[in-house]
Amino acid sequence: MGRLYEQLSLDERCEIARLRGSGSSIRQIAAALDRQPSSISRELKRNTGSGPRAGAYKPTYAQAQTAARRWSGARLERDEALREQVLTGLRRGWSPEQVSGRLRLEEGRPVIGCETIYRFIYAQLKRTNDGAWRFYLPRAKARRGRRGHKGGSPASFIQQRVGLAERPAEALTRDQPGHWEADFMLFSTYGQSVLVLHERTTRLTALVKTATRKAKPTAKTLGGLLEALPKRLKQSVTFDNGTEFAEHHSLGLATYFCDPHAPWQKGGVENAIGRIRRFLPRKTNLDDVSPARIIAVAQAYNHTPRQCLDFHTPAEAFSRVLHFERESTSRPSPG
């Protein structure tokens, strides 16, 4: 039976350097280390310096060279086809989780983990010193971690305000479609905003560029977005405590408000806005953004696979809900 070959350790390489420096022959070194002479000869020939350092065997250099020869690069560096699939998804605004999950859904098996994608992107940021790599990530963060947020609450100015604690359990668990959340995306230019309406179960999201954030026009815009929906898909809307939502009672459906200083309680729309920031950063001048562009951004978001939907898209999920709703209301009553 042939002998199982093991890589030389750093300690063995240090011993090779010491014995070689003292004038020992290759066979003497091999005998001292209980190695084959061919292994020692190959080690010295492969890892001996060149130029002024010719003939000098450096154990740390040899160890580093061995590691470099054995390393084949990150998976996305080695697999060009998979790398292009991943980067194509990221360019569309999908997160690494969404890219990973969608590939698993389409292939019927795990293809690549989201952590592998994150590490690849952050490795490129560090290796290339090119900040453009961060724009492959939904929130374009150069470093991983959470950021703190501060805010106020004029809750006492909102009449007929009902707290979130009274919202039905179906809305909290997302088991029943028709419960919505609404908020405004704000921009650097004062007065510019986009109204965002988000359905909690399917994650479908609508965007409307608005000329004002006054309460009555805001309620009218929200009413227009909800008007065409079946009644069962208009259960409730949840807001933060901004006075722009003070006319909530005119919508004709149940409305609920987050606790003061807790806008995170309407986490669905907060998350959606964070993702949409990739397409509409805060510094965007909405005067240069056409209504068609706003629609395209909404379509991109609604056609992005979501982990919470088993990597189906919000558009697919809402289409199924809407189809079921139409089927259930069009069935003939028993005669």
Side-chain angles (χ1 to χ4, degrees), residues 49-68:
S50 58
R53 299 174 59 197
Y57 175 80
K58 301 294 183 181
T60 53
Y61 170 80
Q63 187 79 6
Q65 288 296 99
T66 299

Side-chain angles (χ1 to χ4, degrees), residues 35-36 58 72 91 117 132 142 144 154 166 168 181 186 190 192 210 252 265 278 281 320 329:
R35 291 279 188 169
Q36 294 294 321
K58 301 294 183 181
S72 57
R91 290 188 196 104
I117 300 174
R144 303 180 77 169
E166 298 185 42
E181 296 174 354
L186 304 182
Y190 179 77
Q192 293 188 347
T210 57
Q265 290 178 336
R278 178 173 188 175
R320 288 197 298 270
T329 56

Side-chain angles (χ1 to χ4, degrees), residues 14-30:
C14 290
E15 185 66 8
I16 290 172
R18 187 187 68 80
L19 293 172
R20 189 65 169 170
S22 66
S24 297
S25 69
I26 288 176
R27 288 189 177 276
Q28 289 172 328
I29 296 172

Side-chain angles (χ1 to χ4, degrees), residues 238-297:
T238 299
F239 306 103
D240 59 24
N241 292 285
T243 54
E244 59 267 29
F245 301 118
E247 292 290 324
H248 62 98
H249 47 79
S250 66
L251 292 175
L253 69 162
T255 55
Y256 303 96
F257 288 82
C258 300
D259 296 335
H261 310 288
W264 50 266
Q265 290 178 336
K266 51 176 180 49
V269 71
E270 293 280 332
N271 180 272
I273 288 174
R275 294 175 182 274
I276 292 166
R277 282 293 185 195
R278 178 173 188 175
F279 304 100
L280 297 172
R282 186 173 292 274
K283 64 183 179 181
T284 301
N285 184 352
L286 287 186
D287 290 338
D288 300 329
V289 179
S290 67
R293 171 60 179 161
I294 298 294
I295 293 173
V297 169

